[in-house]
Amino acid sequence: MADDDPGEVPRPPDVVRRLALLWDPPTPSARGRRPRFVLADVVQAGITVALDGGLEALSMRRVAAELGVGAMSLYTYVPGRAELIDLMIDRAYGELDLPVAGMPWRAALDQYARQFWQLYLRHPWLLQTTSWRTPLAPHVLDAEEAGLRTLIDTPLTETQVVDFLGLVNSMVQGLARGAIAEAQERASSGQSWDDYWTSVSSFWQDWFDTDRYPVMTRVWNAGAFEKASDFESILERLLDAVEGSIARARTSAVEVSEDAASR
Amino acid sequence: MADDDPGEVPRPPDVVRRLALLWDPPTPSARGRRPRFVLADVVQAGITVALDGGLEALSMRRVAAELGVGAMSLYTYVPGRAELIDLMIDRAYGELDLPVAGMPWRAALDQYARQFWQLYLRHPWLLQTTSWRTPLAPHVLDAEEAGLRTLIDTPLTETQVVDFLGLVNSMVQGLARGAIAEAQERASSGQSWDDYWTSVSSFWQDWFDTDRYPVMTRVWNAGAFEKASDFESILERLLDAVEGSIARARTSAVEVSEDAASR
DNA sequence: CGTCCTTTCGTACGCCGTACCGAAATGATC
DNA sequence: GATCATTTCGGTACGGCGTACGAAAGGACG
C-alpha cells in the first residue's frame, strides 16, 4: 500500500477545503479533544486585529495571541492566512443590509452604494485586500447578486448592468479610500507622529513649486481639497448618469419595437 | 560627547531623506569608492522584479539579486523598501503622456483617463500599493496637476473639479483591476495551475446555487461577464455625465448673473 | 482501564527588512 | 607615492513572518 491516499482525489484538496470552509459550515465532531473555540471566534479575532493595525498587522501569531493561544493552534481551524482573510471578508460582507428585491432601482442602488460606503469606513482593512478578485464567498456573492438585481429589470442590457455596477463599486471604493486617508491623517496629529506631520507639511514650503503646479495651488487656495469627497452628492450624480442611460435605453428600445412593427 | 548627533535636527531626517530622494536628484560625490549603479538602476531593477511576481515578490534580496549584488548594498541607494516603492511609482508615472494645457476639456480628460488605463495595464503592481495616499512625488503631482487642469477652466467649481477627477481616477482603477484579474485568470490556464483552475470552476457545480443567485445566473448565461469592462464605452458615459454637469453649471451661472443683473 | 481521535503548541526552517560594522576601493592632500 | 577621508560593498545577525512536523494532552468510547 502506497503512502499516498489511494482514494479518489480528482482535485487538489487545497481549493476544495478553501471553498468548503466558506460554504459548508464545519460541523465539530463529538469525538476527540474539545476545541476551545469555533471557527467564528478565530475569524472575529482576525477582524479585531485588522481593525487596529490594518491587514499588515494580521499575523497568525498576533491573532493567536488575541485568543490567548499558541500560533499553531489556529491551523486546526483555518488552513492558512489567506483562507482566514477570505473568511474575514465573508463575515464583513455579512454585515451589509442589502436592498431587497422589488424596490425601485434608484432607491435600491442608492442603498447598495451607501451600505458599501459604510462598510468600508467600518472595515478599512477590506480595502487593503491585495488580491485581484473578491473571494467566492457566500455573502460576497449575495452582495453581487443584490447589486445586479437593482438594475436587471431596467431596459439596460446585461452587459450595461455589469458595467454600471462595476462603476458604482469603483466609485464607492475610491471615495472610501480618500475618506480613510483623510481620517488617518487627521488621527495622526496626536502622538509623536506630530513631528512626522509637520515634516510632511513642510514639504509644501521646501519643495512644492507653485509655478510648476498653478492649478493645484489654485484648487488648494480655494479650499477644495478639504471639503472634497462629498459622497452623497457624487453618488447622486452617478445615479443621474445611470438614469440617463436607462432613459436612452428605453427610447431606443421603443424605436426598435416600432422599427419591428413597421416592417 | 554624547553618541547622539549634536547638530540641529529640526525634523526627523527620515521624512526629509524620503522627500529629498524624490525631489533632489542625488548628486554622486566624486569622493570615495565608485558606486556600481545609479539610483535609477536600482529603481529599474525593482520595477523588473515587480513586473513578474507583483509587489509581494519585491524583496530587497530579490532586487539585489537582480543587480547581482548583496542585499545590503541597496541601502546605500535607498533608505528602505518603502522609499524604493515610492521611487518606482514616480518612475512609472513618468511614463504618462499627459494632456497639455489649452486642449478642449473633453479630449484632455479622455487622454488623461486612457493614459492611466494603459499605465495600470502596463504596471499592475501600481494597484497593489497598499498605502492610502499616493506619494508626494514629482511625476505624481504632475499627473494630478494635468488632471485638474483639464477641468479647471470649465464653469465647474473647484470642489466639483476635484470630485470629478477623483471619480475618473476611481473608475479607471476599478476597471483596470477587473481587466487585470481577467488577464491573470486567462494566463493561469497553462502550467500546473490547470487543475487549480478546473477546481475553481468546479465551484460552480459543487456549491453555486442557481436558486440563490438567479440574477447572476441570468447575467452569466447572457455572457455579460466575459465581455464586460469595455473601458471605452464606460469612459464615454462618464464623460457624458461630466458634460451634463458642466452644462448645468453654465446655465445656473447664467441664472446667477441674470439674477444679479435684475436687482 | 486502554484505544482512538482530535486539539494544542514547542520547535524548526526558510523567508523577510534592516541595524551594525569591517573590508575594500577611490579621490584628495601632502 | 603615502596617507587620509570618504564612500560603497556586503557578511553577519536579530527579530518577525508563515507554516511543516510531530510530540503531548485531553475527551469519548470500548
PDB file of all heavy atoms in Angstrom, chain B residues 30-31 34 58-61 72 75 81, chain C residues 16-20 24-28:
ATOM      1  N   ALA B  30      32.212  62.887  -5.959  1.00  0.00           N
ATOM      2  CA  ALA B  30      33.394  62.360  -6.645  1.00  0.00           C
ATOM      3  C   ALA B  30      34.282  61.584  -5.687  1.00  0.00           C
ATOM      4  O   ALA B  30      35.104  60.776  -6.113  1.00  0.00           O
ATOM      5  CB  ALA B  30      34.168  63.511  -7.284  1.00  0.00           C
ATOM      6  N   ARG B  31      34.114  61.873  -4.403  1.00  0.00           N
ATOM      7  CA  ARG B  31      34.970  61.216  -3.414  1.00  0.00           C
ATOM      8  C   ARG B  31      34.578  59.755  -3.220  1.00  0.00           C
ATOM      9  O   ARG B  31      33.478  59.352  -3.530  1.00  0.00           O
ATOM     10  CB  ARG B  31      34.851  61.951  -2.066  1.00  0.00           C
ATOM     11  CG  ARG B  31      35.180  63.414  -2.137  1.00  0.00           C
ATOM     12  CD  ARG B  31      36.668  63.586  -2.190  1.00  0.00           C
ATOM     13  NE  ARG B  31      37.286  63.020  -1.009  1.00  0.00           N
ATOM     14  CZ  ARG B  31      37.722  63.726   0.016  1.00  0.00           C
ATOM     15  NH1 ARG B  31      37.626  65.025  -0.021  1.00  0.00           N
ATOM     16  NH2 ARG B  31      38.289  63.157   1.061  1.00  0.00           N
ATOM     17  N   ARG B  34      33.846  54.263  -6.142  1.00  0.00           N
ATOM     18  CA  ARG B  34      32.865  54.462  -7.194  1.00  0.00           C
ATOM     19  C   ARG B  34      31.662  53.544  -7.003  1.00  0.00           C
ATOM     20  O   ARG B  34      31.841  52.341  -6.811  1.00  0.00           O
ATOM     21  CB  ARG B  34      33.485  54.148  -8.553  1.00  0.00           C
ATOM     22  CG  ARG B  34      34.462  55.173  -9.021  1.00  0.00           C
ATOM     23  CD  ARG B  34      33.758  56.312  -9.731  1.00  0.00           C
ATOM     24  NE  ARG B  34      34.718  57.280 -10.244  1.00  0.00           N
ATOM     25  CZ  ARG B  34      35.537  57.029 -11.272  1.00  0.00           C
ATOM     26  NH1 ARG B  34      35.481  55.873 -11.889  1.00  0.00           N
ATOM     27  NH2 ARG B  34      36.387  57.952 -11.670  1.00  0.00           N
ATOM     28  N   LEU B  58       8.551  41.720  -4.329  1.00  0.00           N
ATOM     29  CA  LEU B  58       9.571  42.763  -4.266  1.00  0.00           C
ATOM     30  C   LEU B  58      10.257  42.753  -2.912  1.00  0.00           C
ATOM     31  O   LEU B  58       9.909  43.522  -2.017  1.00  0.00           O
ATOM     32  CB  LEU B  58       8.940  44.136  -4.520  1.00  0.00           C
ATOM     33  CG  LEU B  58       9.941  45.269  -4.657  1.00  0.00           C
ATOM     34  CD1 LEU B  58      10.360  45.410  -6.095  1.00  0.00           C
ATOM     35  CD2 LEU B  58       9.362  46.574  -4.155  1.00  0.00           C
ATOM     36  N   SER B  59      11.240  41.874  -2.755  1.00  0.00           N
ATOM     37  CA  SER B  59      12.036  41.876  -1.535  1.00  0.00           C
ATOM     38  C   SER B  59      13.398  42.480  -1.856  1.00  0.00           C
ATOM     39  O   SER B  59      13.871  42.451  -2.992  1.00  0.00           O
ATOM     40  CB  SER B  59      12.206  40.460  -0.996  1.00  0.00           C
ATOM     41  OG  SER B  59      13.016  39.695  -1.859  1.00  0.00           O
ATOM     42  N   MET B  60      14.003  43.030  -0.838  1.00  0.00           N
ATOM     43  CA  MET B  60      15.306  43.663  -1.043  1.00  0.00           C
ATOM     44  C   MET B  60      16.315  42.646  -1.567  1.00  0.00           C
ATOM     45  O   MET B  60      17.131  42.957  -2.444  1.00  0.00           O
ATOM     46  CB  MET B  60      15.791  44.273   0.271  1.00  0.00           C
ATOM     47  CG  MET B  60      14.858  45.330   0.830  1.00  0.00           C
ATOM     48  SD  MET B  60      14.587  46.719  -0.275  1.00  0.00           S
ATOM     49  CE  MET B  60      15.939  47.802   0.176  1.00  0.00           C
ATOM     50  N   ARG B  61      16.258  41.425  -1.043  1.00  0.00           N
ATOM     51  CA  ARG B  61      17.188  40.403  -1.516  1.00  0.00           C
ATOM     52  C   ARG B  61      16.954  40.093  -2.992  1.00  0.00           C
ATOM     53  O   ARG B  61      17.896  39.874  -3.757  1.00  0.00           O
ATOM     54  CB  ARG B  61      17.010  39.143  -0.672  1.00  0.00           C
ATOM     55  CG  ARG B  61      17.599  39.255   0.720  1.00  0.00           C
ATOM     56  CD  ARG B  61      17.156  38.080   1.583  1.00  0.00           C
ATOM     57  NE  ARG B  61      17.813  38.031   2.885  1.00  0.00           N
ATOM     58  CZ  ARG B  61      17.407  38.693   3.956  1.00  0.00           C
ATOM     59  NH1 ARG B  61      16.345  39.463   3.872  1.00  0.00           N
ATOM     60  NH2 ARG B  61      18.058  38.597   5.101  1.00  0.00           N
ATOM     61  N   MET B  72      22.394  44.138   1.239  1.00  0.00           N
ATOM     62  CA  MET B  72      22.608  45.371   1.975  1.00  0.00           C
ATOM     63  C   MET B  72      23.162  46.493   1.110  1.00  0.00           C
ATOM     64  O   MET B  72      23.130  47.664   1.503  1.00  0.00           O
ATOM     65  CB  MET B  72      23.536  45.123   3.157  1.00  0.00           C
ATOM     66  CG  MET B  72      22.921  44.239   4.208  1.00  0.00           C
ATOM     67  SD  MET B  72      21.268  44.762   4.646  1.00  0.00           S
ATOM     68  CE  MET B  72      21.594  46.358   5.366  1.00  0.00           C
ATOM     69  N   TYR B  75      21.018  49.542   0.346  1.00  0.00           N
ATOM     70  CA  TYR B  75      20.728  50.573   1.332  1.00  0.00           C
ATOM     71  C   TYR B  75      21.635  51.783   1.203  1.00  0.00           C
ATOM     72  O   TYR B  75      21.464  52.767   1.921  1.00  0.00           O
ATOM     73  CB  TYR B  75      20.791  49.974   2.741  1.00  0.00           C
ATOM     74  CG  TYR B  75      19.589  49.123   3.036  1.00  0.00           C
ATOM     75  CD1 TYR B  75      19.548  47.784   2.663  1.00  0.00           C
ATOM     76  CD2 TYR B  75      18.465  49.663   3.648  1.00  0.00           C
ATOM     77  CE1 TYR B  75      18.434  47.000   2.915  1.00  0.00           C
ATOM     78  CE2 TYR B  75      17.349  48.895   3.906  1.00  0.00           C
ATOM     79  CZ  TYR B  75      17.343  47.561   3.534  1.00  0.00           C
ATOM     80  OH  TYR B  75      16.232  46.801   3.778  1.00  0.00           O
ATOM     81  N   ARG B  81      12.681  49.734   1.876  1.00  0.00           N
ATOM     82  CA  ARG B  81      11.760  49.208   0.886  1.00  0.00           C
ATOM     83  C   ARG B  81      10.663  50.214   0.531  1.00  0.00           C
ATOM     84  O   ARG B  81      10.324  50.388  -0.643  1.00  0.00           O
ATOM     85  CB  ARG B  81      11.129  47.924   1.416  1.00  0.00           C
ATOM     86  CG  ARG B  81      10.232  47.211   0.443  1.00  0.00           C
ATOM     87  CD  ARG B  81       9.739  45.906   1.050  1.00  0.00           C
ATOM     88  NE  ARG B  81       8.952  45.119   0.108  1.00  0.00           N
ATOM     89  CZ  ARG B  81       7.648  45.202  -0.019  1.00  0.00           C
ATOM     90  NH1 ARG B  81       6.975  46.050   0.724  1.00  0.00           N
ATOM     91  NH2 ARG B  81       7.014  44.459  -0.892  1.00  0.00           N
TER      92      ARG B  81
ATOM     93  P    DC C  16      12.957  36.678   0.462  1.00  0.00           P
ATOM     94  OP1  DC C  16      12.377  37.063  -0.838  1.00  0.00           O
ATOM     95  OP2  DC C  16      14.403  36.443   0.611  1.00  0.00           O
ATOM     96  O5'  DC C  16      12.516  37.766   1.558  1.00  0.00           O
ATOM     97  C5'  DC C  16      11.135  38.034   1.732  1.00  0.00           C
ATOM     98  C4'  DC C  16      10.933  38.840   3.003  1.00  0.00           C
ATOM     99  O4'  DC C  16      11.269  38.032   4.148  1.00  0.00           O
ATOM    100  C3'  DC C  16      11.828  40.046   3.127  1.00  0.00           C
ATOM    101  O3'  DC C  16      11.249  41.129   2.436  1.00  0.00           O
ATOM    102  C2'  DC C  16      11.852  40.280   4.626  1.00  0.00           C
ATOM    103  C1'  DC C  16      11.652  38.876   5.216  1.00  0.00           C
ATOM    104  N1   DC C  16      12.853  38.271   5.861  1.00  0.00           N
ATOM    105  C2   DC C  16      13.166  38.596   7.177  1.00  0.00           C
ATOM    106  O2   DC C  16      12.439  39.407   7.770  1.00  0.00           O
ATOM    107  N3   DC C  16      14.242  38.037   7.758  1.00  0.00           N
ATOM    108  C4   DC C  16      14.993  37.172   7.064  1.00  0.00           C
ATOM    109  N4   DC C  16      16.053  36.633   7.673  1.00  0.00           N
ATOM    110  C5   DC C  16      14.688  36.824   5.718  1.00  0.00           C
ATOM    111  C6   DC C  16      13.627  37.394   5.148  1.00  0.00           C
ATOM    112  P    DG C  17      12.177  42.335   2.002  1.00  0.00           P
ATOM    113  OP1  DG C  17      11.409  43.138   1.024  1.00  0.00           O
ATOM    114  OP2  DG C  17      13.512  41.822   1.644  1.00  0.00           O
ATOM    115  O5'  DG C  17      12.317  43.143   3.369  1.00  0.00           O
ATOM    116  C5'  DG C  17      11.164  43.748   3.949  1.00  0.00           C
ATOM    117  C4'  DG C  17      11.567  44.518   5.184  1.00  0.00           C
ATOM    118  O4'  DG C  17      12.191  43.617   6.126  1.00  0.00           O
ATOM    119  C3'  DG C  17      12.585  45.629   4.948  1.00  0.00           C
ATOM    120  O3'  DG C  17      12.301  46.714   5.818  1.00  0.00           O
ATOM    121  C2'  DG C  17      13.908  44.957   5.277  1.00  0.00           C
ATOM    122  C1'  DG C  17      13.516  44.031   6.422  1.00  0.00           C
ATOM    123  N9   DG C  17      14.371  42.851   6.504  1.00  0.00           N
ATOM    124  C8   DG C  17      14.704  42.013   5.477  1.00  0.00           C
ATOM    125  N7   DG C  17      15.490  41.037   5.842  1.00  0.00           N
ATOM    126  C5   DG C  17      15.686  41.238   7.195  1.00  0.00           C
ATOM    127  C6   DG C  17      16.454  40.505   8.127  1.00  0.00           C
ATOM    128  O6   DG C  17      17.125  39.494   7.937  1.00  0.00           O
ATOM    129  N1   DG C  17      16.380  41.058   9.407  1.00  0.00           N
ATOM    130  C2   DG C  17      15.654  42.181   9.725  1.00  0.00           C
ATOM    131  N2   DG C  17      15.704  42.564  11.002  1.00  0.00           N
ATOM    132  N3   DG C  17      14.938  42.870   8.860  1.00  0.00           N
ATOM    133  C4   DG C  17      14.999  42.356   7.616  1.00  0.00           C
ATOM    134  P    DT C  18      13.097  48.090   5.602  1.00  0.00           P
ATOM    135  OP1  DT C  18      12.276  49.144   6.212  1.00  0.00           O
ATOM    136  OP2  DT C  18      13.507  48.190   4.196  1.00  0.00           O
ATOM    137  O5'  DT C  18      14.394  47.892   6.508  1.00  0.00           O
ATOM    138  C5'  DT C  18      14.257  47.813   7.912  1.00  0.00           C
ATOM    139  C4'  DT C  18      15.563  47.436   8.564  1.00  0.00           C
ATOM    140  O4'  DT C  18      15.921  46.079   8.212  1.00  0.00           O
ATOM    141  C3'  DT C  18      16.778  48.294   8.143  1.00  0.00           C
ATOM    142  O3'  DT C  18      17.516  48.636   9.300  1.00  0.00           O
ATOM    143  C2'  DT C  18      17.589  47.325   7.312  1.00  0.00           C
ATOM    144  C1'  DT C  18      17.313  46.057   8.091  1.00  0.00           C
ATOM    145  N1   DT C  18      17.755  44.818   7.434  1.00  0.00           N
ATOM    146  C2   DT C  18      18.431  43.883   8.186  1.00  0.00           C
ATOM    147  O2   DT C  18      18.676  44.034   9.368  1.00  0.00           O
ATOM    148  N3   DT C  18      18.826  42.766   7.501  1.00  0.00           N
ATOM    149  C4   DT C  18      18.619  42.494   6.150  1.00  0.00           C
ATOM    150  O4   DT C  18      19.017  41.459   5.644  1.00  0.00           O
ATOM    151  C5   DT C  18      17.910  43.508   5.429  1.00  0.00           C
ATOM    152  C7   DT C  18      17.638  43.316   3.978  1.00  0.00           C
ATOM    153  C6   DT C  18      17.512  44.608   6.101  1.00  0.00           C
ATOM    154  P    DA C  19      17.494  50.139   9.840  1.00  0.00           P
ATOM    155  OP1  DA C  19      16.103  50.441  10.246  1.00  0.00           O
ATOM    156  OP2  DA C  19      18.180  51.019   8.884  1.00  0.00           O
ATOM    157  O5'  DA C  19      18.388  50.008  11.146  1.00  0.00           O
ATOM    158  C5'  DA C  19      17.951  49.176  12.225  1.00  0.00           C
ATOM    159  C4'  DA C  19      19.151  48.642  12.991  1.00  0.00           C
ATOM    160  O4'  DA C  19      19.609  47.404  12.376  1.00  0.00           O
ATOM    161  C3'  DA C  19      20.355  49.569  13.022  1.00  0.00           C
ATOM    162  O3'  DA C  19      20.957  49.499  14.319  1.00  0.00           O
ATOM    163  C2'  DA C  19      21.264  48.995  11.942  1.00  0.00           C
ATOM    164  C1'  DA C  19      20.971  47.508  12.030  1.00  0.00           C
ATOM    165  N9   DA C  19      21.136  46.781  10.770  1.00  0.00           N
ATOM    166  C8   DA C  19      20.575  47.101   9.568  1.00  0.00           C
ATOM    167  N7   DA C  19      20.880  46.266   8.593  1.00  0.00           N
ATOM    168  C5   DA C  19      21.681  45.317   9.204  1.00  0.00           C
ATOM    169  C6   DA C  19      22.324  44.170   8.719  1.00  0.00           C
ATOM    170  N6   DA C  19      22.251  43.768   7.446  1.00  0.00           N
ATOM    171  N1   DA C  19      23.064  43.448   9.602  1.00  0.00           N
ATOM    172  C2   DA C  19      23.136  43.866  10.877  1.00  0.00           C
ATOM    173  N3   DA C  19      22.571  44.926  11.446  1.00  0.00           N
ATOM    174  C4   DA C  19      21.850  45.616  10.547  1.00  0.00           C
ATOM    175  P    DC C  20      22.104  50.553  14.726  1.00  0.00           P
ATOM    176  OP1  DC C  20      21.889  50.813  16.164  1.00  0.00           O
ATOM    177  OP2  DC C  20      22.149  51.677  13.764  1.00  0.00           O
ATOM    178  O5'  DC C  20      23.440  49.693  14.560  1.00  0.00           O
ATOM    179  C5'  DC C  20      23.475  48.352  15.041  1.00  0.00           C
ATOM    180  C4'  DC C  20      24.736  47.660  14.561  1.00  0.00           C
ATOM    181  O4'  DC C  20      24.517  47.106  13.248  1.00  0.00           O
ATOM    182  C3'  DC C  20      25.958  48.578  14.440  1.00  0.00           C
ATOM    183  O3'  DC C  20      26.968  48.090  15.279  1.00  0.00           O
ATOM    184  C2'  DC C  20      26.343  48.498  12.961  1.00  0.00           C
ATOM    185  C1'  DC C  20      25.713  47.185  12.527  1.00  0.00           C
ATOM    186  N1   DC C  20      25.358  47.106  11.083  1.00  0.00           N
ATOM    187  C2   DC C  20      25.764  46.001  10.326  1.00  0.00           C
ATOM    188  O2   DC C  20      26.414  45.101  10.873  1.00  0.00           O
ATOM    189  N3   DC C  20      25.430  45.937   9.005  1.00  0.00           N
ATOM    190  C4   DC C  20      24.732  46.933   8.453  1.00  0.00           C
ATOM    191  N4   DC C  20      24.424  46.829   7.158  1.00  0.00           N
ATOM    192  C5   DC C  20      24.309  48.063   9.204  1.00  0.00           C
ATOM    193  C6   DC C  20      24.641  48.123  10.506  1.00  0.00           C
ATOM    194  P    DA C  24      39.685  43.312   2.398  1.00  0.00           P
ATOM    195  OP1  DA C  24      39.925  41.955   1.861  1.00  0.00           O
ATOM    196  OP2  DA C  24      40.721  44.049   3.143  1.00  0.00           O
ATOM    197  O5'  DA C  24      39.194  44.232   1.193  1.00  0.00           O
ATOM    198  C5'  DA C  24      37.967  43.929   0.540  1.00  0.00           C
ATOM    199  C4'  DA C  24      37.551  45.085  -0.334  1.00  0.00           C
ATOM    200  O4'  DA C  24      37.057  46.157   0.502  1.00  0.00           O
ATOM    201  C3'  DA C  24      38.682  45.674  -1.180  1.00  0.00           C
ATOM    202  O3'  DA C  24      38.210  45.833  -2.501  1.00  0.00           O
ATOM    203  C2'  DA C  24      38.958  47.026  -0.512  1.00  0.00           C
ATOM    204  C1'  DA C  24      37.596  47.380   0.032  1.00  0.00           C
ATOM    205  N9   DA C  24      37.586  48.304   1.166  1.00  0.00           N
ATOM    206  C8   DA C  24      38.303  48.218   2.321  1.00  0.00           C
ATOM    207  N7   DA C  24      38.080  49.199   3.160  1.00  0.00           N
ATOM    208  C5   DA C  24      37.149  49.992   2.513  1.00  0.00           C
ATOM    209  C6   DA C  24      36.492  51.185   2.879  1.00  0.00           C
ATOM    210  N6   DA C  24      36.703  51.822   4.039  1.00  0.00           N
ATOM    211  N1   DA C  24      35.621  51.717   2.001  1.00  0.00           N
ATOM    212  C2   DA C  24      35.409  51.078   0.842  1.00  0.00           C
ATOM    213  N3   DA C  24      35.972  49.952   0.383  1.00  0.00           N
ATOM    214  C4   DA C  24      36.830  49.457   1.282  1.00  0.00           C
ATOM    215  P    DA C  25      39.248  45.996  -3.712  1.00  0.00           P
ATOM    216  OP1  DA C  25      38.825  45.030  -4.739  1.00  0.00           O
ATOM    217  OP2  DA C  25      40.634  45.993  -3.182  1.00  0.00           O
ATOM    218  O5'  DA C  25      38.911  47.471  -4.230  1.00  0.00           O
ATOM    219  C5'  DA C  25      37.560  47.786  -4.527  1.00  0.00           C
ATOM    220  C4'  DA C  25      37.381  49.273  -4.490  1.00  0.00           C
ATOM    221  O4'  DA C  25      37.455  49.753  -3.131  1.00  0.00           O
ATOM    222  C3'  DA C  25      38.435  50.079  -5.271  1.00  0.00           C
ATOM    223  O3'  DA C  25      37.751  50.955  -6.141  1.00  0.00           O
ATOM    224  C2'  DA C  25      39.186  50.847  -4.186  1.00  0.00           C
ATOM    225  C1'  DA C  25      38.115  50.998  -3.126  1.00  0.00           C
ATOM    226  N9   DA C  25      38.578  51.256  -1.763  1.00  0.00           N
ATOM    227  C8   DA C  25      39.468  50.515  -1.041  1.00  0.00           C
ATOM    228  N7   DA C  25      39.687  50.982   0.174  1.00  0.00           N
ATOM    229  C5   DA C  25      38.883  52.116   0.238  1.00  0.00           C
ATOM    230  C6   DA C  25      38.658  53.059   1.256  1.00  0.00           C
ATOM    231  N6   DA C  25      39.249  53.012   2.452  1.00  0.00           N
ATOM    232  N1   DA C  25      37.784  54.052   0.998  1.00  0.00           N
ATOM    233  C2   DA C  25      37.191  54.097  -0.197  1.00  0.00           C
ATOM    234  N3   DA C  25      37.329  53.271  -1.232  1.00  0.00           N
ATOM    235  C4   DA C  25      38.192  52.283  -0.946  1.00  0.00           C
ATOM    236  P    DT C  26      38.342  51.279  -7.603  1.00  0.00           P
ATOM    237  OP1  DT C  26      37.279  50.987  -8.582  1.00  0.00           O
ATOM    238  OP2  DT C  26      39.691  50.673  -7.718  1.00  0.00           O
ATOM    239  O5'  DT C  26      38.515  52.860  -7.547  1.00  0.00           O
ATOM    240  C5'  DT C  26      37.380  53.666  -7.266  1.00  0.00           C
ATOM    241  C4'  DT C  26      37.759  54.842  -6.430  1.00  0.00           C
ATOM    242  O4'  DT C  26      38.225  54.426  -5.136  1.00  0.00           O
ATOM    243  C3'  DT C  26      38.896  55.716  -6.967  1.00  0.00           C
ATOM    244  O3'  DT C  26      38.337  56.763  -7.742  1.00  0.00           O
ATOM    245  C2'  DT C  26      39.603  56.223  -5.699  1.00  0.00           C
ATOM    246  C1'  DT C  26      38.796  55.589  -4.572  1.00  0.00           C
ATOM    247  N1   DT C  26      39.575  55.227  -3.367  1.00  0.00           N
ATOM    248  C2   DT C  26      39.418  55.978  -2.230  1.00  0.00           C
ATOM    249  O2   DT C  26      38.669  56.934  -2.158  1.00  0.00           O
ATOM    250  N3   DT C  26      40.169  55.574  -1.152  1.00  0.00           N
ATOM    251  C4   DT C  26      41.051  54.511  -1.108  1.00  0.00           C
ATOM    252  O4   DT C  26      41.680  54.239  -0.078  1.00  0.00           O
ATOM    253  C5   DT C  26      41.176  53.780  -2.340  1.00  0.00           C
ATOM    254  C7   DT C  26      42.116  52.604  -2.394  1.00  0.00           C
ATOM    255  C6   DT C  26      40.435  54.156  -3.401  1.00  0.00           C
ATOM    256  P    DG C  27      39.224  57.758  -8.589  1.00  0.00           P
ATOM    257  OP1  DG C  27      38.492  58.011  -9.853  1.00  0.00           O
ATOM    258  OP2  DG C  27      40.601  57.235  -8.599  1.00  0.00           O
ATOM    259  O5'  DG C  27      39.191  59.079  -7.702  1.00  0.00           O
ATOM    260  C5'  DG C  27      37.934  59.690  -7.439  1.00  0.00           C
ATOM    261  C4'  DG C  27      38.094  60.770  -6.380  1.00  0.00           C
ATOM    262  O4'  DG C  27      38.626  60.187  -5.158  1.00  0.00           O
ATOM    263  C3'  DG C  27      39.063  61.904  -6.754  1.00  0.00           C
ATOM    264  O3'  DG C  27      38.529  63.137  -6.288  1.00  0.00           O
ATOM    265  C2'  DG C  27      40.345  61.525  -6.015  1.00  0.00           C
ATOM    266  C1'  DG C  27      39.818  60.823  -4.771  1.00  0.00           C
ATOM    267  N9   DG C  27      40.702  59.792  -4.239  1.00  0.00           N
ATOM    268  C8   DG C  27      41.227  58.731  -4.932  1.00  0.00           C
ATOM    269  N7   DG C  27      41.974  57.951  -4.188  1.00  0.00           N
ATOM    270  C5   DG C  27      41.942  58.528  -2.930  1.00  0.00           C
ATOM    271  C6   DG C  27      42.557  58.131  -1.724  1.00  0.00           C
ATOM    272  O6   DG C  27      43.279  57.160  -1.522  1.00  0.00           O
ATOM    273  N1   DG C  27      42.261  59.012  -0.686  1.00  0.00           N
ATOM    274  C2   DG C  27      41.459  60.113  -0.795  1.00  0.00           C
ATOM    275  N2   DG C  27      41.290  60.836   0.308  1.00  0.00           N
ATOM    276  N3   DG C  27      40.873  60.501  -1.919  1.00  0.00           N
ATOM    277  C4   DG C  27      41.156  59.666  -2.945  1.00  0.00           C
ATOM    278  P    DA C  28      39.290  64.508  -6.441  1.00  0.00           P
ATOM    279  OP1  DA C  28      38.268  65.568  -6.595  1.00  0.00           O
ATOM    280  OP2  DA C  28      40.349  64.360  -7.461  1.00  0.00           O
ATOM    281  O5'  DA C  28      39.983  64.672  -5.016  1.00  0.00           O
ATOM    282  C5'  DA C  28      39.145  64.747  -3.855  1.00  0.00           C
ATOM    283  C4'  DA C  28      39.953  65.198  -2.654  1.00  0.00           C
ATOM    284  O4'  DA C  28      40.783  64.095  -2.189  1.00  0.00           O
ATOM    285  C3'  DA C  28      40.902  66.376  -2.886  1.00  0.00           C
ATOM    286  O3'  DA C  28      40.874  67.210  -1.735  1.00  0.00           O
ATOM    287  C2'  DA C  28      42.249  65.706  -3.095  1.00  0.00           C
ATOM    288  C1'  DA C  28      42.147  64.473  -2.194  1.00  0.00           C
ATOM    289  N9   DA C  28      42.900  63.311  -2.655  1.00  0.00           N
ATOM    290  C8   DA C  28      42.940  62.815  -3.933  1.00  0.00           C
ATOM    291  N7   DA C  28      43.677  61.737  -4.067  1.00  0.00           N
ATOM    292  C5   DA C  28      44.152  61.511  -2.786  1.00  0.00           C
ATOM    293  C6   DA C  28      45.002  60.529  -2.252  1.00  0.00           C
ATOM    294  N6   DA C  28      45.523  59.532  -2.977  1.00  0.00           N
ATOM    295  N1   DA C  28      45.287  60.584  -0.930  1.00  0.00           N
ATOM    296  C2   DA C  28      44.753  61.576  -0.206  1.00  0.00           C
ATOM    297  N3   DA C  28      43.946  62.562  -0.595  1.00  0.00           N
ATOM    298  C4   DA C  28      43.685  62.470  -1.907  1.00  0.00           C
TER     299       DA C  28
END
